[in-house]
């Protein structure tokens, strides 16, 4: 089995669900407690042993590059001021990973964004992570997927159960349950109406693919919303070779919506080792 080192972060979307907050800054830089969303995603990938990061960005996304870059002046200032905890936080983030940036010049869809990274994949297996989905667990979501990939050698898609009222927001899978709790995915539909949804299991923005996915993506035509959909390429892959689904464990927030973003800040704020107790006390005063 080829080693799994590479992971693509599509981060070129316009963040329309978050306007006006995302008018001049990337949605991936929205902050959950004390870190931007994209940093949670990168830390999760590194914890799963995927350290070759390909970030697909677009216009107005420079802040992401700056975030993972060395800020020599800031580091020098923090160091000389003796702010060692802040210095460590800032210097760690600029050294945590080697990141390659690719620009998606036109907003043609998630599948197209992933395809933009294909020159860096070189016929290797790779992960894809959507940073606006935040999944918190001792065993990182990407590690949960990786275990299934290593056991099967097949592509794996992270899933969560959603209520019927939300199936129109996600890719929804049709599956057959196999041994050892594995779900073999037979088909998937991007953002179906409730009556057309094959199940209530939603694709949650964590994927590991065999290289065949890239080949199929090249031929995917515009689908739902006139966009080239990653979901359509996975459906084609599932017709060609086994693709598995894994129900992810952990606290999951769809932080790409204002509701999910607020919940993530509230819950992770309450759990934060430095701010949690104070935040809880302050909330009691407000409620
Ligand atoms: C994307 C995918 C969808 C998936 C969702 C997870 O949709 O196309 O299949 O269920 O992410 O958040 P988006 O939210 O980018 O519209």
């Amino acid at each position: 089995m080829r080693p799994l080192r590479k992971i693509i972060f599509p981060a070129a979307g316009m963040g329309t669900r978050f306007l006006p907050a995302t008018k001049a800054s990337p949605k991936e830089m929205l902050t959950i407690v004390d870190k931007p969303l994209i940093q949670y995603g990168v830390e999760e990938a590194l914890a799963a042993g995927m350290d070759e990061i390909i970030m697909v960005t677009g216009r107005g996304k420079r802040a992401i590059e700056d975030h993972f870059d060395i800020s020599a002046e800031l580091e020098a200032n923090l160091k000389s001021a003796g702010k060692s905890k802040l210095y460590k936080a800032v210097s760690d983030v600029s050294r945590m990973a080697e990141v390659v940036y690719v620009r998606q010049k036109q907003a043609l869809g998630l599948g197209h964004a992933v395809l933009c990274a294909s020159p860096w994949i070189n016929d290797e297996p790779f992960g894809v992570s959507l940073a606006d989905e935040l999944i918190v667990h001792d065993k990182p979501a990407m590690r949960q997927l990786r275990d299934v990939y290593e056991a099967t050698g097949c592509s794996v898609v992270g899933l969560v159960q959603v209520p019927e009222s939300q199936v129109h927001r996600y890719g929804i899978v049709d599956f057959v349950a196999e041994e050892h709790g594995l779900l073999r995915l037979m088909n998937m539909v991007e953002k179906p109406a409730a009556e057309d949804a094959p199940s209530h299991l939603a694709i949650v923005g964590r994927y590991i693919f065999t290289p065949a996915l890239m080949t199929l993506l090249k031929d995917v035509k515009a689908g739902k919303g006139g966009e080239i959909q990653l979901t359509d390429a996975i459906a084609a892959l599932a017709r060609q070779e086994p693709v598995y689904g894994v129900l992810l464990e952990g606290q999951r927030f769809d932080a790409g919506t204002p509701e999910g973003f607020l919940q993530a800040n509230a819950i992770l704020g309450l759990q934060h080792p430095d701010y949690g107790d104070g935040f809880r006390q302050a909330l009691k005063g407000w409620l």
Side-chain angles (χ1 to χ4, degrees):
M1 199 186 302
R2 293 281 194 85
L4 174 62
R5 301 281 303 272
K6 298 191 167 161
I7 182 159
I8 301 170
F9 283 87
M14 283 188 283
T16 35
R17 275 175 283 207
F18 258 105
L19 286 168
T22 47
K23 186 179 171 201
S25 45
K27 76 169 169 182
E28 294 77 12
M29 292 301 293
L30 289 171
T31 302
I32 306 291
V33 188
D34 55 359
K35 287 188 289 194
L37 270 170
I38 190 76
Q39 187 175 334
Y40 287 89
V42 168
E43 287 175 353
E44 181 194 311
L46 295 175
M50 299 156 89
D51 58 359
E52 292 180 25
I53 291 170
I54 304 139
M55 200 81 71
V56 184
T57 65
R59 229 171 309 141
K61 301 281 186 168
R62 286 283 298 277
I64 300 176
E65 293 183 41
D66 289 342
H67 186 70
F68 290 103
D69 197 3
I70 293 176
S71 176
E73 194 184 344
L74 178 61
E75 290 183 16
N77 285 344
L78 292 171
K79 207 171 191 174
S80 63
K83 296 184 175 171
S84 53
K85 202 170 170 189
L86 286 178
Y87 168 76
K88 185 171 178 344
V90 164
S91 62
D92 280 358
V93 76
S94 48
R95 290 165 179 83
M96 64 173 52
E98 280 307 317
V99 187
V100 171
Y101 296 90
V102 194
R103 277 175 81 113
Q104 185 190 24
K105 293 180 188 162
Q106 287 174 287
L108 298 180
L110 177 61
H112 179 258
V114 171
L115 192 55
C116 289
S118 67
W120 283 267
I121 294 304
N122 299 332
D123 211 28
E124 288 175 43
F126 60 98
V128 174
S129 181
L130 308 186
D132 55 6
E133 289 276 3
L134 183 58
I135 303 162
V136 183
H137 195 265
D138 288 344
K139 186 172 180 183
M142 267 299 173
R143 170 58 65 182
Q144 295 175 44
L145 259 62
R146 187 179 186 126
D147 284 354
V148 177
Y149 169 73
E150 286 176 350
T152 63
C154 297
S155 296
V156 192
V157 175
L159 303 171
V160 290
Q161 178 97 29
V162 294
E164 187 172 272
S165 59
Q166 290 183 11
V167 294
H168 68 280
R169 294 193 200 166
Y170 301 105
I172 303 293
V173 301
D174 193 6
F175 62 91
V176 174
E178 290 194 351
E179 285 177 338
H180 311 298
L182 282 180
L183 305 177
R184 179 155 175 189
L185 304 188
M186 308 313 286
N187 193 15
M188 56 223 66
V189 193
E190 182 66 10
K191 303 192 174 82
E195 57 274 22
D196 300 328
S199 74
H200 290 175
L201 292 190
I203 299 172
V204 75
R206 297 293 185 280
Y207 315 81
I208 290 173
F209 294 121
T210 59
L213 190 273
M214 274 302 181
T215 313
L216 290 167
L217 251 182
K218 293 189 176 106
D219 292 326
V220 170
K221 304 275 179 293
K224 186 84 181 179
E227 297 190 338
I228 296 172
Q229 296 291 352
L230 181 60
T231 301
D232 293 342
I234 311 169
L237 185 65
R239 289 192 286 276
Q240 183 175 295
E241 59 183 51
V243 176
Y244 289 104
V246 57
L247 269 168
L248 290 178
E249 291 177 39
Q251 295 171 304
R252 173 256 172 179
F253 306 96
D254 186 350
T257 66
E259 301 89 332
F261 174 77
L262 287 171
Q263 287 166 22
N265 267 302
I267 302 301
L268 298 197
L270 288 169
Q271 292 170 352
H272 195 282
D274 297 339
Y275 315 127
D277 288 343
F279 185 40
R280 186 172 293 100
Q281 289 309 319
L283 279 180
K284 279 185 187 154
W286 283 99
L287 295 174

